[in-house]
Amino acid sequence: VTAVLLVFLFTGCSQTPEKPDPKPSVDPDIVRAASMMDNGEYGAAALLYRDLAARATDPAVRTGFLQDAAEASRQVEDWDGVRSTLQQLQVMVLTPYQAFQQRLLQSEVLLHERNTTTALDLLSVPPPCHVRVPEKPVVHIPRIARQPREVPLHPLVFAV
């Protein structure tokens, strides 16, 4: 009798249900898009981030994907892609950091369009004091700003 009980006990213990994986599975497209960004495949990454944003049900996640798409488009100087993504972001609720990033992208598009006054107006508003700026900011100089051209000096430059 004791042997039978031990057999049932060990048999029951060996059939314990498996615990579900505590880590949620990550969409492989998210990993692929990040890898594309790391490898400099910005155009393809922008398309994939737009697709991920379209599939996202959580507005905060959608916002993040749209900002990633705008940044990837900026990297390949796809200004139409940046503009269309920024239009989608205008109706989203943004964190202070995301709003700051959006202003930076908008000002860069305006600089590309040679609308410097409006771009400077956007940049005249400082970021909120609790926005954490990356330690090593990435500076992107638009192609038009890299082209040498003569710029008249302001009269105050000569007053010094």
Side-chain angles (χ1 to χ4, degrees), residues 79-100:
W79 303 112
D80 291 333
V82 175
R83 271 187 222 91
S84 71
T85 306
L86 288 175
Q87 284 178 334
Q88 292 177 53
L89 283 168
Q90 284 179 348
V91 297
M92 308 295 283
V93 176
L94 304 176
T95 66
Y97 180 74
Q98 290 171 330
F100 176 65

Side-chain angles (χ1 to χ4, degrees), residues 2 16 18-19 25 32 36 39-40 48 90 98 100 102 122 128 130 144 149 157:
T2 310
T16 56
E18 293 183 22
K19 293 181 181 177
S25 63
R32 199 166 54 126
M36 287 175 178
N39 294 328
L48 190 52
Q90 284 179 348
Q98 290 171 330
F100 176 65
Q102 183 184 18
L122 273 176
H130 61 278
I144 61 164
R149 61 179 183 268
V157 172

Side-chain angles (χ1 to χ4, degrees), residues 15 18 22 27 31 33 39 41 51 53 62 78 86 95-97 100 105 110 120 123 128 136 139 146 152-153 158-159:
Q15 296 177 355
E18 293 183 22
D27 185 340
V31 175
N39 294 328
E41 301 171 41
D51 181 55
R62 185 178 312 119
D78 172 15
L86 288 175
T95 66
Y97 180 74
F100 176 65
L105 283 168
L110 290 166
L120 288 174
L123 294 175
K136 186 177 180 186
V139 178
R146 289 181 275 181
L153 293 176
F158 296 109

Side-chain angles (χ1 to χ4, degrees), residues 39-92:
N39 294 328
E41 301 171 41
Y42 302 115
L47 291 174
L48 190 52
Y49 277 127
R50 282 189 194 96
D51 181 55
L52 286 164
R55 290 187 279 153
T57 55
D58 181 357
V61 172
R62 185 178 312 119
T63 299
F65 287 144
L66 286 172
Q67 286 211 298
D68 291 339
E71 180 61 30
S73 294
R74 182 190 68 79
Q75 291 287 345
V76 290
E77 298 181 5
D78 172 15
W79 303 112
D80 291 333
V82 175
R83 271 187 222 91
S84 71
T85 306
L86 288 175
Q87 284 178 334
Q88 292 177 53
L89 283 168
Q90 284 179 348
V91 297
M92 308 295 283

